[in-house]
Amino acid sequence: MSYTPTVSSTRDAGIDLVKIVGMVMVIMNHSTGCFVREGIFNLPWVLYYASVAGVPLFLMASGYLLLPRNPDKIPYSYILRKIWAVMRLLAIMIIPSFLWHQYSDPDFSPQEYFMRGSHLWYLWALIPIFIFYRPLAYLYTHPRAFRAVLAIMLSALCVITYLNYTSFFEGQIPRPLRLWTWLAYFMLGGVMRKIMIPRNLLAVLFLTSLAALYLQTWYFYQNPFTDLGLEYILCAPFSILYSVLLFAICREARVARWKSLRIFADLFLPVYVLHWAILARLSRFFEFTHFGGGLPLCVLTLAVTLVISRIIMRTRIGRWIFHL
């Protein structure tokens, strides 16, 4: 008998919004990234670093939904099915992704591809998260121990941020294996289920964290050795604070349980997987991508990817491929 753990039969519209915002930010990140080196505090720079919360929002949404479930009622077969679903999706997508990068990028390096994991690295990172899911769910039932472990991990992330700044530490480690960051965000999602911040205070804290994020990034720019791709500042303190507060804003937003909201949220995985090839193709065929800091390209890529993903998910094979 298959098992699907549940906490509530009511769909959380706030978490649907979290997934949609994360989806937009991932595409914004890839659309504006090539314009970032044109200067700082301009439109592409602002958009690029604001999108740092894209993948953290996905991870926190997973922790928010999964960690509160009773670990004694989660069989290992459920976890194995999840891991198998991720590996199945990777097996289907990794070869065309590899060939696409080889075809479209004249500077393509297979070693760099597998080191950085292409944009599919998020799927690879889900495998160890599911492996650690049950122990973390047990830990979640002991709040003091859970908070202590999370505090240690967040402290370690501060040290890793310093190492990234001084010695490019994480540049030597494949993205999917940077578990200290991915597990920390997953655990923060569980914490956010127990924290309620007044809306007025939340707005002030969020704007303050956004300003702090930009100041933090500006400070990192003072070191010419630092590669400031988003992947290397995900573990930085103000990146974490900004991501957590953005999650809280989405969760607390007064959004109705619209059917369209649920439909878009359910498309986050196919959009994540497919958008890169669509973005690369559109950036070749449209000349306007040089203005607007990549924003027009982001909007168009999002629209096209949503349409294609919706068509795919209306087919049985599409739902089978992208169901985790």
Side-chain angles (χ1 to χ4, degrees):
M1 178 183 297
S2 62
Y3 167 76
T4 303
T6 59
V7 174
S8 171
S9 59
T10 303
R11 178 106 176 195
D12 193 327
I15 297 302
D16 284 342
L17 184 59
V18 167
K19 294 178 182 179
I20 292 171
V21 172
M23 178 171 59
V24 172
M25 286 194 159
V26 167
I27 296 179
M28 184 189 298
N29 164 230
H30 293 149
S31 302
T32 59
C34 59
F35 299 94
V36 171
R37 299 187 186 280
E38 295 179 1
I40 62 173
F41 293 108
N42 54 22
L43 180 61
W45 191 90
V46 168
L47 293 176
Y48 180 75
Y49 287 106
S51 68
V52 70
V55 169
L57 288 177
F58 291 155
L59 294 171
M60 284 189 286
S62 298
Y64 183 92
L65 295 172
L66 292 176
L67 284 175
R69 294 168 178 168
N70 187 342
D72 292 324
K73 296 183 178 180
I74 303 174
Y76 288 109
S77 59
Y78 169 78
I79 297 173
L80 291 175
R81 281 194 292 113
K82 289 293 186 181
I83 294 174
W84 162 245
V86 174
M87 294 179 66
R88 180 184 64 208
L89 178 56
L90 280 168
I92 294 171
M93 294 298 173
I94 197 72
I95 294 177
S97 172
F98 181 87
L99 294 177
W100 173 264
H101 280 80
Q102 191 172 37
Y103 163 76
S104 60
D105 185 357
D107 300 322
F108 175 76
S109 166
Q111 180 180 0
E112 180 71 7
Y113 176 86
F114 288 107
M115 187 70 174
R116 297 172 66 93
S118 79
H119 74 290
L120 298 177
W121 68 264
Y122 169 70
L123 299 177
W124 288 106
L126 287 179
I127 295 175
I129 287 176
F130 282 126
I131 291 174
F132 286 103
Y133 167 40
R134 187 163 173 170
L136 288 176
Y138 272 113
L139 189 64
Y140 189 77
T141 62
H142 300 83
R144 288 189 178 180
F146 187 86
R147 289 195 296 265
V149 171
L150 180 58
I152 292 172
M153 293 183 69
L154 293 176
S155 300
L157 291 184
C158 293
V159 175
I160 291 170
T161 300
Y162 174 77
L163 294 176
N164 284 342
Y165 181 77
T166 58
S167 61
F168 201 41
F169 170 71
E170 287 188 318
Q172 314 305 316
I173 302 170
R175 264 188 283 192
L177 298 182
R178 300 169 193 170
L179 298 181
W180 40 85
T181 302
W182 317 140
L183 290 175
Y185 278 115
F186 183 74
M187 295 173 69
L188 282 168
V191 170
M192 292 307 294
R193 183 174 279 275
K194 299 182 178 181
I195 295 178
M196 300 294 292
I197 305 174
R199 283 191 172 88
N200 293 338
L201 177 60
L202 182 57
V204 173
L205 291 176
F206 174 74
L207 292 175
T208 303
S209 71
L210 181 60
L213 170 70
Y214 289 135
L215 288 175
Q216 167 190 272
T217 308
W218 172 81
Y219 177 78
F220 287 163
Y221 261 82
Q222 309 312 304
N223 184 353
F225 175 76
T226 304
D227 182 336
L228 286 177
L230 286 192
E231 60 183 290
Y232 302 113
I233 67 167
L234 283 169
C235 58
F238 291 119
S239 302
I240 297 172
L241 180 62
Y242 164 73
S243 299
V244 167
L245 292 173
L246 180 57
F247 179 93
I249 285 178
C250 293
R251 185 195 62 181
E252 297 300 323
R254 294 173 179 173
V255 292
R257 293 186 177 91
W258 297 325
K259 182 179 179 181
S260 57
L261 189 72
R262 177 173 181 171
I263 290 173
F264 286 135
D266 286 341
L267 294 178
F268 86 93
L269 187 57
V271 166
Y272 180 89
V273 171
L274 300 174
H275 81 276
W276 183 261
I278 296 170
L279 185 152
R281 182 57 61 186
L282 290 176
S283 65
R284 288 187 172 194
F285 284 105
F286 290 88
E287 297 179 356
F288 61 74
T289 57
H290 68 279
F291 72 84
L295 186 58
L297 180 60
C298 173
V299 173
L300 186 59
T301 300
L302 177 63
V304 173
T305 311
L306 281 171
V307 171
I308 293 175
S309 298
R310 176 62 173 160
I311 294 172
I312 291 174
M313 292 301 285
R314 291 178 69 90
T315 66
R316 181 177 297 179
I317 189 171
R319 292 191 294 271
W320 177 77
I321 290 173
F322 289 103
H323 176 71
L324 294 187

